Amino acid sequence: MEMPTVTMQVIPMEHGLLLAAILFVMGMVGVLTRRNLVFILMSLEVMLNATGLAFIVASSRWGQVDGQIMFLMILSLAAAEVAVALGLVLQLFHKRKTLDINVLGEMKG
Amino acid sequence: MSVLFYGSAIIAILATLLVITRTNIVHALLYFIVSLLAIAVIFYTLGAPFAAALEIIVYAGAIMVMFLFVVMMLNLGHVTQDQEKAWLTPSVWIGPSIMAVPLLAAVIYAINLNQEQMAHTVVGGKEIGIALFGPYVLAVELASMLLLAGLVGAYHLARK
């Protein structure tokens, strides 16, 4: 099996993981502070993306494909999640005419 | 390569910071697309060109366009923007941010305990394809089921 081997300047693995951690925390702060449903979903995407970055960094560290496969799984999970969640957002907006989670949190059943 | 990595990392962090602080949804979406493109560049520098292409095609292309369609269908306008401005006061975001920073500090400390260097190899699409339809074929099937469930669920929920 021919594998294209390119020598490049080495980046420490910590810096990649650090970036993933910072992006994850930013997404977490977004989820905790925003009150608009669409913004919360977007912050969730930021968090999922950060975990994907961590997997790619690990894949790059050991030169194996498994991390990238996990990234593909996260990608399909994010696509399915966003499709269902945005459908729910549309329905909630048609019913309540708002995206404020303080109002939407009062629904029963 | 390292200049590309650190430059893109700074752009990604700044764009994500702008994503979580914007009051206009469309502006936030555009900054998020910038952040995703920067992360795609990072994937490329880490030797994952296939993941970089997927990041642009699926994340920046498909998922963000889905968000944009929903924002257009909702037609939120200036009322929501003023509402967001009223909500996003420092008293709202300072508490969670202060509690999140120690967690980040702990993670940074844990990551920096021992230094590891990255490998020099590029893992391209061919190896990923071989792995996907070899040992990971069950994961591919499960992902297809998940996507089918997502499709059916989205169709059912978004129906008038």
Side-chain angles (χ1 to χ4, degrees), chain A residues 13-26:
Chain A
M13 181 176 133
E14 285 71 36
H15 295 177
L17 288 178
L18 228 67
L19 177 63
I22 289 169
L23 290 179
F24 189 87
V25 167
M26 275 178 171

Side-chain angles (χ1 to χ4, degrees), chain A residues 6 8 10-11 13-15 19 34 36 45 49 53 60-61 65-66 68 71-72 75 91 100, chain B residues 6 20 22 36 39 42 45-46 54-55 59 84 111 114 116-120 123 128 136 157 159:
Chain A
V6 181
M8 50 180 85
V10 180
I11 301 154
M13 181 176 133
E14 285 71 36
H15 295 177
L19 177 63
R34 302 313 293 250
N36 187 318
E45 288 305 306
N49 203 30
L53 176 64
S60 173
R61 163 65 184 81
V65 288
D66 307 68
Q68 295 197 38
F71 174 72
L72 292 187
L75 211 62
Q91 281 299 332
D100 181 2
Chain B
Y6 292 111
I20 60 169
R22 289 306 90 182
L36 291 172
I39 290 172
I42 288 169
T45 59
L46 293 181
L54 279 180
E55 176 90 3
Y59 252 114
E84 284 289 310
I111 287 171
N114 47 356
E116 296 265 6
Q117 299 293 322
M118 296 246 224
H120 297 194
V123 181
I128 295 173
Y136 283 102
L157 286 171
R159 200 176 40 171

Side-chain angles (χ1 to χ4, degrees), chain B residues 3-159:
Chain B
V3 174
L4 216 55
F5 177 86
Y6 292 111
S8 315
I10 289 165
I11 291 173
I13 290 171
L14 287 180
T16 309
L17 196 65
L18 288 169
V19 169
I20 60 169
T21 52
R22 289 306 90 182
T23 51
N24 189 326
I25 294 180
V26 179
H27 293 177
L29 274 174
L30 289 175
Y31 279 119
F32 193 25
I33 290 174
V34 172
S35 159
L36 291 172
L37 293 179
I39 290 172
V41 173
I42 288 169
F43 285 175
Y44 195 80
T45 59
L46 293 181
F50 188 65
L54 279 180
E55 176 90 3
I56 292 176
I57 295 168
V58 178
Y59 252 114
I63 295 179
M64 287 303 108
V65 168
M66 205 142 66
F67 265 105
L68 214 54
F69 271 134
V70 168
V71 170
M72 276 159 57
M73 282 166 84
L74 294 178
N75 197 13
L76 297 167
H78 286 281
V79 183
T80 325
Q81 205 178 334
D82 297 337
Q83 221 176 14
E84 284 289 310
K85 260 184 201 141
W87 282 341
L88 206 64
T89 53
S91 62
V92 171
W93 57 259
I94 268 182
S97 307
I98 286 175
M99 279 189 251
V101 165
L103 297 178
L104 181 63
V107 172
I108 288 172
Y109 175 72
I111 287 171
N112 276 324
L113 279 181
N114 47 356
Q115 291 274 329
E116 296 265 6
Q117 299 293 322
M118 296 246 224
H120 297 194
T121 49
V122 173
V123 181
K126 190 179 170 189
E127 288 84 41
I128 295 173
I130 290 169
L132 264 184
F133 292 98
Y136 283 102
V137 70
L138 188 64
V140 173
E141 291 299 324
L142 288 175
S144 74
M145 295 239 189
L146 178 70
L147 286 173
L148 180 65
L151 175 70
V152 174
Y155 174 73
H156 179 74
L157 286 171
R159 200 176 40 171

